[in-house]
Amino acid sequence: ISSPSSQLTFIRKVNLHSSGNSESYQERLSRLEGDKESLILQVSVLTDQVEAQGAKISDLQSSLVEHQHKLDSTEEMLQQELLHRTSLENQKLSLMGEVSYLKIKLADMEGKQGQGAERQHKAEGLIKELRILKDKVEHLEDQKLQYEKKLKATKVKEIVSSVFIQRVYPHPYRLRRTQSGGLQAADPDAGQFRRGGLRATAGPRLTRTPESYDSARDLNIPFSQWTKGQVCGWLEDYGLGQYVNLTRQWVENGQTLLSATPQDFEKEMGMKNPLHRKKLQLALNAFTTKVIEKSSELDYIWVTRWLDDIGLPQYKDQFHEARVDGRMIQYLTVNDLLTLKVTSQLHHLSIKCAIHVLHANKFNPNCLRRRPGEERQPSPSEVVQWSNHRVMEWLRAVDLAEYAPNLRGSGVHGGLIILEPRFSSETLALLLNIPPQKTLLRRHLATAFSALVGTQATQEKREYGNATGHVPLTTTAKVKPKKLGFTQFSHLRKRKPDESADYICPIDSGTLTVNGVSRLPSAALRGLSPNLDRQPERREPMGIKAQANGPKP
């Protein structure tokens, strides 16, 4: 039996051991509670991340569906192009068969050719048909090349669209969301089918108002208060992006451009092209006067299509390089056309009459008719809106299909036929390359031409042709720049730049009505039609601000 002192010692040891254990349990309990709170916080953070990633995945899935629809539409258009190409190849093969047959027939005729004039005449006819068929084959070859280019462009866009989807979908978490909620890598227009180049089938941007490109560049804010960045962005959108770098070094705000002169544009911005300076000056004057013209809605892409419609596609590169838009078309001068390398007098008249048609239709971008309608006998008011292609369709309708291709690049359209008094059936026969000895064919063309333009216009053209000193309209006549005399040169400093402008189609010219058609008055044809230079009425040319000046006292 232990002593009472040893029992007391054992009890003390037990109490000390129990108190130590209770303290370690408290520490572990507090540590576990801290771990629990951190785990709860981590769970909440992970929950938010999962929700955000789910939203991103849903956005990517919707973007994938949209691009898949665009890819399907592109494949459908590609299939249509392939079918069209197949039909063209079939037509080419049939025409080549006809050419080979005619060659064999021609060789047979040459072997059996005798001394008779009748056989020689038949051989000449076969040679002419052979040439026409060769022209058709060449035309089909050109169409085939164009469609092959379109097919290549379509395939490239299809490949780019598929690659875009393959790159985006496997890595959805690499995209980051902007403040506006849209994906930065998404491009809603990336998969659309677009035709390239400057062909007539290119979809033009017809409703482009250069004064309202951006929400930051609002018409409510005066141009003089635009910042340097806004001015440079506007120049980029206006087709003058090559001058942005020098403009950024020179311009402080919009007022710098408003107070500058054309010499400043050339010196500070390096703008050597006079038509670029004119384009910029016209736009700045529109900002100053706050006059919104309908012509300002037609951009330089539309002008290239318009050149196709009036039969002058050979000038598309020059017009595109000069960035000639609808407003510049309205204020074109003779010197501007010469700068654009348009030197033919007939082509000047073609552009003049086409601009007058635009004035009469308030610069409606779709005023020209390219396809035949349901009318059996069109009136002159309808013919004046015919395009070059529509005139060629009329030639096919009057059994002159073999001569219709000769109108390509001639500048002949409905406005020129109706509005130019010197343009007659003889002029058309000359452009169609109808030989003078084919009197019956020329008489047939004259009858159809008279029925087309109407009785009143035919009588007026006949009167101009019979007038004293009449100079017939030819295809070889050239327009030369006007030379300033000594007296005119001495007063040049006193003139304002807009007072010496000689517009190709004056805006302040009145209108005449012939057969229900708005006709060019004599002042509008001055300088290109010698019969009209004798008219006593003279008008001052318009200023660049489109404000009509009164007649000279």
Side-chain angles (χ1 to χ4, degrees), residues 310-434:
I310 66 175
L312 297 174
Q314 62 268 37
Y315 301 115
K316 289 199 295 185
D317 289 340
Q318 292 91 312
F319 276 69
H320 183 268
E321 183 180 355
R323 294 297 190 269
V324 177
D325 55 10
R327 184 187 280 129
M328 291 183 69
I329 287 290
Q330 184 175 353
Y331 297 105
L332 270 182
T333 65
V334 175
N335 287 333
D336 291 340
L337 289 181
L338 294 176
T339 304
L340 292 166
K341 300 180 181 179
V342 183
T343 58
S344 171
Q345 185 188 64
L346 181 62
H347 294 173
H348 275 243
L349 287 171
S350 174
I351 294 175
K352 174 193 292 288
C353 295
I355 295 174
H356 183 77
V357 172
L358 288 176
H359 275 296
N361 290 275
K362 298 180 180 179
F363 284 86
N364 180 6
N366 301 313
C367 63
L368 295 182
R369 300 186 181 183
R370 303 177 180 89
R371 298 291 178 186
E374 299 179 355
E375 69 276 9
R376 294 184 179 179
Q377 183 60 38
S379 63
S381 60
E382 295 172 335
V383 175
V384 77
Q385 294 181 342
W386 281 9
S387 66
N388 177 260
H389 185 270
R390 180 65 183 90
V391 176
M392 293 167 63
E393 292 290 337
W394 169 76
L395 286 173
R396 296 186 180 97
V398 296
D399 299 327
L400 292 172
E402 59 183 358
Y403 297 100
N406 294 331
L407 282 189
R408 292 193 182 95
S410 64
V412 176
H413 54 90
L416 179 66
I417 292 174
I418 299 295
L419 300 177
E420 173 52 39
R422 291 193 295 161
F423 191 92
S424 61
S425 60
E426 294 296 324
T427 311
L428 185 57
L430 189 65
L431 291 169
L432 292 175
N433 292 328
I434 300 178

Side-chain angles (χ1 to χ4, degrees), residues 33-311:
E33 287 180 353
D35 293 342
K36 177 183 177 182
E37 292 178 356
S38 65
L39 287 173
I40 292 173
L41 181 60
Q42 290 179 5
V43 168
S44 62
V45 171
L46 289 174
T47 303
D48 294 338
Q49 290 181 354
V50 168
E51 292 177 354
Q53 298 297 333
K56 290 181 181 179
I57 290 174
S58 61
D59 290 341
L60 285 171
Q61 288 177 347
S62 61
S63 177
L64 177 63
V65 171
E66 180 182 358
H67 283 84
Q68 188 64 36
H69 288 317
K70 292 179 180 178
L71 183 60
D72 294 340
S73 63
T74 304
E75 290 178 351
E76 183 179 355
M77 297 180 74
L78 179 61
Q79 189 67 25
Q80 294 177 359
E81 294 293 340
L82 288 173
L83 292 175
H84 199 175
R85 178 184 175 185
T86 305
S87 64
L88 285 176
E89 288 180 351
N90 293 334
Q91 293 179 9
K92 177 190 171 184
L93 290 175
S94 63
L95 285 174
M96 289 180 68
E98 292 181 8
V99 169
S100 61
Y101 169 73
L102 287 174
K103 283 182 179 179
I104 296 172
K105 193 173 180 180
L106 181 59
D108 187 35
M109 288 291 295
E110 287 178 351
K112 297 179 180 180
Q113 185 178 11
Q115 299 296 327
E118 184 177 359
R119 291 184 179 180
Q120 185 178 0
H121 180 70
K122 289 182 179 179
E124 290 176 356
L126 287 174
I127 291 173
K128 181 177 290 185
E129 290 179 0
L130 182 61
R131 289 176 180 173
I132 293 171
L133 287 173
K134 284 183 178 179
D135 293 338
K136 289 182 180 179
V137 170
E138 290 175 358
H139 178 60
L140 286 174
E141 286 285 346
D142 294 338
Q143 287 186 348
K144 179 184 176 183
L145 290 175
Q146 291 174 359
Y147 277 106
E148 286 177 353
K149 291 180 181 178
K150 287 161 53 180
L151 279 173
K152 289 180 181 178
T154 307
K155 290 179 180 178
V156 169
K157 289 184 177 293
E158 182 180 0
I159 292 171
V160 170
S161 178
S162 61
V163 170
F164 175 79
I165 294 173
Q166 292 175 0
R167 288 185 178 180
V168 170
Y169 190 64
H171 307 285
Y173 306 118
R174 292 184 181 179
L175 299 175
R176 60 188 181 91
R177 187 177 297 274
T178 60
Q179 293 181 355
S180 60
L183 297 177
Q184 287 186 348
D187 185 6
D189 296 327
Q192 290 184 354
F193 177 79
R194 295 180 180 175
R195 300 182 184 271
L198 300 177
R199 299 179 64 244
T201 54
R205 299 164 298 190
L206 297 179
T207 55
R208 185 266 303 139
T209 304
E211 290 81 2
S212 57
Y213 285 100
D214 192 2
S215 58
R217 300 193 294 272
D218 198 310
L219 282 177
N220 296 328
I221 303 175
F223 184 83
S224 59
Q225 297 180 10
W226 283 16
T227 63
K228 180 187 300 185
Q230 290 173 342
V231 171
C232 293
W234 172 74
L235 283 175
E236 185 76 31
D237 295 337
Y238 200 41
L240 301 176
Q242 63 266 41
Y243 304 111
V244 167
N245 292 333
L246 292 177
T247 303
R248 189 175 286 110
Q249 300 174 8
W250 171 51
V251 169
E252 295 296 331
N253 49 35
Q255 184 60 38
T256 308
L257 287 182
L258 290 177
S259 58
T261 62
Q263 291 76 17
D264 294 332
F265 298 153
E266 183 176 4
K267 178 182 177 182
E268 303 293 341
M269 299 172 63
M271 194 174 288
K272 305 297 183 182
N273 194 323
L275 294 176
H276 288 179
R277 297 195 296 268
K278 181 174 182 177
K279 178 184 177 77
L280 180 57
Q281 190 67 46
L282 287 172
L284 294 176
N285 287 336
F287 280 121
T288 304
T289 59
K290 297 182 179 179
V291 175
I292 300 178
E293 298 172 304
K294 291 292 293 182
S295 60
S296 64
E297 299 177 3
L298 310 178
D299 63 359
Y300 61 91
I301 302 296
W302 176 89
V303 171
T304 58
R305 185 184 182 187
W306 176 73
L307 289 172
D308 270 322
D309 288 337
I310 66 175

